[in-house]
Amino acid sequence: MRAVIQRVTKSSVAVNSETTGKIGRGLMVLVGVEDGDTVKDAEYIAEKVAGLRIFEDENDKMNLSVTDVGGEILAVSQFTLLGDVRKGKRPSFTRAARPDEADSLYRKVIEFISSRGINVEEGVFQTHMVVDIQNDGPVTILLDSRKLF
């Protein structure tokens, strides 16, 4: 499972021009589920996202988590995070999980994060979405539950 986490001042997602999720200060999290991922991968990603210390403390040092700053999370499923472009220029998505499996594990990530008392807004699975991200810093972190990077 892969995730791209961006520290944001605000972020939103819309489907057919209708906002489905909107947050203020917090984290924008794009989640890609890989074929073979399990609940353990979802737990790993959720734990890392909830605990990432990428907000500044009183000494301007990245030392606080989204929970510490009372932030929110906007989660969007994004199978293209599994796109492989090592051969050619057109991405191959053969490593992405099938939609039913991906949706189930994406929901687990949201469930695990929410269980920590963090408000999680979200996009709509398997639809065309327009995501507005106001990256703060910019700060962007890449996660892979298989620890490939």
Side-chain angles (χ1 to χ4, degrees), residues 20-109:
T20 63
K22 182 177 181 178
I23 63 167
R25 185 178 189 202
L27 301 174
M28 171 65 213
V29 182
L30 305 170
V31 179
V33 181
E34 189 170 355
D35 189 35
D37 281 344
T38 67
V39 172
K40 281 198 171 291
D41 295 285
E43 286 176 314
Y44 174 85
I45 294 294
E47 178 186 338
K48 284 289 191 180
V49 167
L52 276 176
R53 296 180 352 186
I54 59 174
F55 292 89
E56 281 93 3
D57 63 15
E58 65 279 354
N59 298 313
D60 288 330
K61 193 168 195 124
M62 282 192 198
N63 200 27
L64 302 174
S65 71
V66 68
T67 304
D68 296 331
V69 300
E72 305 172 282
I73 290 177
L74 177 58
V76 172
S77 176
Q78 188 173 352
F79 78 95
T80 60
L81 293 181
L82 281 298
D84 185 349
V85 293
R86 290 177 290 180
K87 289 198 254 178
K89 294 184 178 143
R90 182 175 178 208
S92 168
F93 300 106
T94 58
R95 292 177 41 208
R98 292 184 17 227
D100 57 333
E101 296 170 44
D103 187 35
S104 175
L105 289 172
Y106 163 70
R107 300 244 155 257
K108 283 289 185 194
V109 170

Side-chain angles (χ1 to χ4, degrees), residues 8 10-14 21 23 28 74 130-135:
V8 299
K10 65 180 178 178
S11 188
S12 64
V13 60
I23 63 167
M28 171 65 213
L74 177 58
V130 175
V131 181
D132 182 32
I133 301 169
Q134 191 167 55
N135 194 319

